[in-house]
């Protein structure tokens, strides 16, 4: 079994690291203090939103994977629908897992903070 950092410490560390690079981080929803799972909403200059969650792998590890991207549209009405769908996804995930932390990080190349060189 792999040692796990308590969720509140990992979240705090992510936010501090992002802010040290001139970005912005905030907790949208607090989960279970120690064993809660973490979902990240990653943005760059307030746009290009995507959601990353740790997904179980065959070998028992959990790796960060993009589970949702905020699509954009030139049509204002369609763009609003897409924003609402993205927000609804966040809300549904929070309702499904009361231990879930939802954390927003807005910084250049945010995937680097979770070990992904996207």
């Amino acid at each position: 079994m792999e040692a796990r950092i308590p969720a509140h410490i990992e979240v705090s560390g992510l936010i501090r690291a992002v802010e040290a690079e001139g970005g912005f981080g905030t907790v949208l929803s607090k989960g279970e203090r120690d064993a809660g799972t973490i979902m990240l909403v990653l943005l760059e200059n307030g746009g290009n939103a995507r959601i990353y969650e740790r997904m179980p792998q065959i070998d028992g590890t959990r790796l960060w994977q993009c589970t949702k991207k905020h699509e954009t549209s030139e049509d204002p009405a369609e763009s609003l629908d897409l924003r609402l769908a993205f927000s609804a996804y966040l809300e549904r995930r929070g309702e499904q897992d009361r231990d879930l932390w939802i954390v927003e990080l807005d910084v250049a190349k945010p995937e680097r903070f979770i070990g992904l060189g996207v």
Side-chain angles (χ1 to χ4, degrees), residues 60-115:
T61 60
R62 297 174 61 82
L63 300 177
W64 289 106
Q65 291 183 334
C66 184
T67 56
K68 182 97 172 138
K69 290 185 179 183
H70 178 246
E71 304 297 327
T72 58
S73 172
E74 296 297 319
D75 176 15
E78 185 178 8
S79 185
L80 176 61
D81 289 344
L82 292 169
R83 279 196 306 271
L84 292 174
F86 191 83
S87 295
Y89 179 81
L90 287 174
E91 190 173 320
R92 268 194 320 276
R93 285 292 291 117
E95 290 170 357
Q96 291 169 349
D97 184 355
R98 296 291 180 193
D99 294 337
L100 182 68
W101 287 76
I102 302 176
V103 180
E104 181 179 299
L105 303 175
D106 191 346
V107 65
K109 301 179 186 172
E111 282 85 358
R112 63 192 161 118
F113 291 94
I114 55 173

Side-chain angles (χ1 to χ4, degrees), residues 17-34:
V18 165
E19 289 177 347
E21 292 288 321
F24 173 78
T26 190
V27 175
L28 301 176
S29 177
K30 281 188 180 181
E32 204 284 325
R33 180 174 166 82
D34 293 319

